[in-house]
Amino acid sequence: MWDTLTVGLYLQPSLCSWEQMPLQGHISGREQGRISRLGNTDFDSTQKLVNVAKVTDVPAFVEFLLSLFNH
């Protein structure tokens, strides 16, 4: 349901709580392909914070999804 959840949160962002985080993508080495959270000392003003979905209201999401199917 990841793709479905992604589209659902795009259409109805209030279905989830959000947190802004500094993240780093790893492009080489053993960590290649992974994303990790930067510590406060590793983050500088040239980098952007990313909105990260934290907790989804599952009953509300299911209701929203079913309402889309009924249209």
Side-chain angles (χ1 to χ4, degrees), residues 8 11 14 16 18 22 24 29 34 39 42 44-46 50 54 64:
L11 295 172
S14 63
C16 187
W18 299 86
Q24 173 182 339
R34 297 190 70 168
D42 299 324
D44 66 52
S45 62
T46 64
V50 177
K54 296 290 284 183
F64 174 71

Side-chain angles (χ1 to χ4, degrees), residues 29-62:
R30 285 182 16 158
E31 299 293 313
Q32 183 175 0
R34 297 190 70 168
I35 297 173
S36 60
R37 186 176 187 163
L38 290 172
N40 290 339
T41 57
D42 299 324
F43 183 73
D44 66 52
S45 62
T46 64
Q47 297 165 313
K48 293 184 179 180
L49 294 172
V50 177
N51 288 325
V52 177
K54 296 290 284 183
V55 178
T56 301
D57 181 344
V58 175
F61 171 72
V62 171

